[in-house]
PDB file of all heavy atoms in Angstrom:
ATOM      1  N   LEU A  75     153.466  80.685  50.869  1.00  0.00           N
ATOM      2  CA  LEU A  75     152.949  79.395  51.178  1.00  0.00           C
ATOM      3  C   LEU A  75     153.915  78.738  52.229  1.00  0.00           C
ATOM      4  O   LEU A  75     155.106  78.588  52.076  1.00  0.00           O
ATOM      5  CB  LEU A  75     153.036  78.455  49.946  1.00  0.00           C
ATOM      6  CG  LEU A  75     152.512  77.077  50.124  1.00  0.00           C
ATOM      7  CD1 LEU A  75     151.031  77.164  50.376  1.00  0.00           C
ATOM      8  CD2 LEU A  75     152.667  76.251  48.835  1.00  0.00           C
ATOM      9  N   ILE A  76     153.228  78.424  53.352  1.00  0.00           N
ATOM     10  CA  ILE A  76     153.938  77.827  54.546  1.00  0.00           C
ATOM     11  C   ILE A  76     153.720  76.319  54.465  1.00  0.00           C
ATOM     12  O   ILE A  76     152.551  75.977  54.487  1.00  0.00           O
ATOM     13  CB  ILE A  76     153.439  78.502  55.721  1.00  0.00           C
ATOM     14  CG1 ILE A  76     153.760  80.045  55.765  1.00  0.00           C
ATOM     15  CG2 ILE A  76     154.053  77.936  56.988  1.00  0.00           C
ATOM     16  CD1 ILE A  76     152.927  80.796  56.705  1.00  0.00           C
ATOM     17  N   LEU A  77     154.732  75.562  54.651  1.00  0.00           N
ATOM     18  CA  LEU A  77     154.597  74.207  54.744  1.00  0.00           C
ATOM     19  C   LEU A  77     154.654  73.729  56.216  1.00  0.00           C
ATOM     20  O   LEU A  77     155.482  74.224  57.042  1.00  0.00           O
ATOM     21  CB  LEU A  77     155.817  73.455  54.046  1.00  0.00           C
ATOM     22  CG  LEU A  77     155.956  73.724  52.483  1.00  0.00           C
ATOM     23  CD1 LEU A  77     157.075  72.984  51.928  1.00  0.00           C
ATOM     24  CD2 LEU A  77     154.558  73.356  51.831  1.00  0.00           C
ATOM     25  N   LEU A  78     153.719  72.891  56.605  1.00  0.00           N
ATOM     26  CA  LEU A  78     153.515  72.584  58.051  1.00  0.00           C
ATOM     27  C   LEU A  78     153.405  71.084  58.251  1.00  0.00           C
ATOM     28  O   LEU A  78     152.704  70.379  57.598  1.00  0.00           O
ATOM     29  CB  LEU A  78     152.213  73.316  58.575  1.00  0.00           C
ATOM     30  CG  LEU A  78     151.669  72.867  59.897  1.00  0.00           C
ATOM     31  CD1 LEU A  78     152.688  73.220  61.097  1.00  0.00           C
ATOM     32  CD2 LEU A  78     150.337  73.411  60.163  1.00  0.00           C
ATOM     33  N   ASP A  79     154.208  70.611  59.149  1.00  0.00           N
ATOM     34  CA  ASP A  79     154.187  69.202  59.611  1.00  0.00           C
ATOM     35  C   ASP A  79     154.303  69.177  61.066  1.00  0.00           C
ATOM     36  O   ASP A  79     154.785  70.115  61.735  1.00  0.00           O
ATOM     37  CB  ASP A  79     155.357  68.441  58.946  1.00  0.00           C
ATOM     38  CG  ASP A  79     155.209  66.913  59.107  1.00  0.00           C
ATOM     39  OD1 ASP A  79     154.096  66.516  59.458  1.00  0.00           O
ATOM     40  OD2 ASP A  79     156.136  66.190  58.869  1.00  0.00           O
ATOM     41  N   VAL A  80     153.803  68.046  61.594  1.00  0.00           N
ATOM     42  CA  VAL A  80     153.807  67.851  63.159  1.00  0.00           C
ATOM     43  C   VAL A  80     154.540  66.479  63.464  1.00  0.00           C
ATOM     44  O   VAL A  80     154.214  65.522  62.781  1.00  0.00           O
ATOM     45  CB  VAL A  80     152.420  67.856  63.654  1.00  0.00           C
ATOM     46  CG1 VAL A  80     152.382  67.528  65.114  1.00  0.00           C
ATOM     47  CG2 VAL A  80     151.812  69.204  63.460  1.00  0.00           C
ATOM     48  N   SER A  81     155.258  66.467  64.494  1.00  0.00           N
ATOM     49  CA  SER A  81     155.932  65.240  64.950  1.00  0.00           C
ATOM     50  C   SER A  81     154.810  64.424  65.694  1.00  0.00           C
ATOM     51  O   SER A  81     154.202  64.860  66.678  1.00  0.00           O
ATOM     52  CB  SER A  81     157.064  65.433  65.854  1.00  0.00           C
ATOM     53  OG  SER A  81     158.193  66.155  65.139  1.00  0.00           O
ATOM     54  N   THR A  82     154.568  63.204  65.264  1.00  0.00           N
ATOM     55  CA  THR A  82     153.389  62.419  65.723  1.00  0.00           C
ATOM     56  C   THR A  82     153.817  61.219  66.638  1.00  0.00           C
ATOM     57  O   THR A  82     152.994  60.465  66.968  1.00  0.00           O
ATOM     58  CB  THR A  82     152.591  61.906  64.526  1.00  0.00           C
ATOM     59  OG1 THR A  82     153.322  61.134  63.695  1.00  0.00           O
ATOM     60  CG2 THR A  82     151.962  63.089  63.767  1.00  0.00           C
ATOM     61  N   LYS A  83     155.127  61.021  66.631  1.00  0.00           N
ATOM     62  CA  LYS A  83     155.577  59.721  67.401  1.00  0.00           C
ATOM     63  C   LYS A  83     155.470  59.941  68.858  1.00  0.00           C
ATOM     64  O   LYS A  83     154.949  58.956  69.595  1.00  0.00           O
ATOM     65  CB  LYS A  83     157.035  59.486  67.000  1.00  0.00           C
ATOM     66  CG  LYS A  83     157.516  58.055  67.514  1.00  0.00           C
ATOM     67  CD  LYS A  83     158.880  57.728  66.945  1.00  0.00           C
ATOM     68  CE  LYS A  83     159.418  56.428  67.494  1.00  0.00           C
ATOM     69  NZ  LYS A  83     160.707  56.060  66.999  1.00  0.00           N
ATOM     70  N   ASN A  84     155.999  60.954  69.378  1.00  0.00           N
ATOM     71  CA  ASN A  84     156.002  61.245  70.962  1.00  0.00           C
ATOM     72  C   ASN A  84     155.610  62.662  71.267  1.00  0.00           C
ATOM     73  O   ASN A  84     155.977  63.629  70.486  1.00  0.00           O
ATOM     74  CB  ASN A  84     157.303  60.990  71.499  1.00  0.00           C
ATOM     75  CG  ASN A  84     157.802  59.579  71.366  1.00  0.00           C
ATOM     76  OD1 ASN A  84     157.150  58.590  71.866  1.00  0.00           O
ATOM     77  ND2 ASN A  84     158.905  59.224  70.663  1.00  0.00           N
ATOM     78  N   PRO A  85     154.816  62.846  72.304  1.00  0.00           N
ATOM     79  CA  PRO A  85     154.465  64.281  72.648  1.00  0.00           C
ATOM     80  C   PRO A  85     155.763  64.961  73.324  1.00  0.00           C
ATOM     81  O   PRO A  85     156.614  64.315  73.911  1.00  0.00           O
ATOM     82  CB  PRO A  85     153.413  64.124  73.736  1.00  0.00           C
ATOM     83  CG  PRO A  85     153.634  62.693  74.259  1.00  0.00           C
ATOM     84  CD  PRO A  85     154.153  61.889  73.197  1.00  0.00           C
ATOM     85  N   VAL A  86     155.858  66.222  73.121  1.00  0.00           N
ATOM     86  CA  VAL A  86     156.962  66.996  73.778  1.00  0.00           C
ATOM     87  C   VAL A  86     156.607  67.391  75.202  1.00  0.00           C
ATOM     88  O   VAL A  86     157.510  67.561  76.029  1.00  0.00           O
ATOM     89  CB  VAL A  86     157.311  68.211  72.949  1.00  0.00           C
ATOM     90  CG1 VAL A  86     157.999  67.794  71.643  1.00  0.00           C
ATOM     91  CG2 VAL A  86     156.165  69.152  72.773  1.00  0.00           C
TER      92      VAL A  86
END
Side-chain angles (χ1 to χ4, degrees):
L75 183 64
I76 297 159
L77 300 179
L78 170 65
D79 192 14
V80 172
S81 296
T82 59
K83 188 175 181 180
N84 295 301
V86 292

